[in-house]
Amino acid sequence: MKGFYTILLLIVSNIFMTFAWYGHLKMRQEYNWFAALPLIGVITFSWAIAFFEYSCQIPANRIGFIGNGGPFSLMQLKVIQEVITLIIFTLFTTVFFKGEALHWNHLAAFMCLIAAVYFVFMK
């Protein structure tokens, strides 16, 4: 069950992270008030979102880490997080940034990530 909670928290964390890191780009296009914000305002806005990312990321790592009774090593946690990040990012860009397209090299990179997951969990 700890593995399930860890992955769920990592998914939620990465949704917040993607919005904090890249959402401001879309908001600048969509909202005049946001486009008028100075850079420090955009940074503050993103940090406010990132607070919720960290509020999920830290517990995910604590729950999931084998040293705290979880099922994953540090390396496994990191690879899981990276795969989740790229899946969330891909969904985000295809939904919010319609001009971004997936190409064969992106799919090849995803296949490499699947191989990374395989190798990191291999005994």
Side-chain angles (χ1 to χ4, degrees), residues 7 10-11 14 79-89:
I7 292 171
L10 288 173
I11 290 169
N14 276 280
V79 170
I80 291 168
Q81 186 267 329
E82 291 299 333
V83 169
I84 290 170
T85 296
L86 286 175
I87 291 169
I88 298 295
F89 179 77

Side-chain angles (χ1 to χ4, degrees), residues 95-116:
V95 170
F96 291 105
F97 292 92
K98 304 274 192 244
E100 297 286 328
L102 286 176
H103 300 288
W104 73 268
N105 55 326
H106 301 139
L107 298 175
F110 291 148
M111 296 306 292
C112 290
L113 282 170
I114 291 168

Side-chain angles (χ1 to χ4, degrees), residues 18 25-26 45 74-75 90:
T18 302
L25 299 173
K26 184 65 174 177
F45 182 83
L74 287 178
M75 192 64 70
T90 301

Side-chain angles (χ1 to χ4, degrees), residues 8-67:
L8 182 64
L9 283 167
L10 288 173
I11 290 169
V12 173
S13 167
N14 276 280
I15 290 169
F16 283 115
M17 180 190 75
T18 302
F19 276 98
W21 286 13
Y22 303 103
H24 64 90
L25 299 173
K26 184 65 174 177
M27 289 186 68
R28 183 177 182 162
Q29 295 172 352
E30 298 290 325
Y31 302 106
N32 290 334
W33 66 268
F34 197 84
L37 281 178
L39 184 57
I40 191 69
V42 175
I43 292 168
T44 303
F45 182 83
S46 292
W47 268 101
I49 295 170
F51 170 79
F52 296 103
E53 173 209 346
Y54 279 83
S55 296
C56 296
Q57 179 76 28
I58 302 304
N61 288 331
R62 284 227 171 177
I63 292 167
F65 178 51
I66 201 163

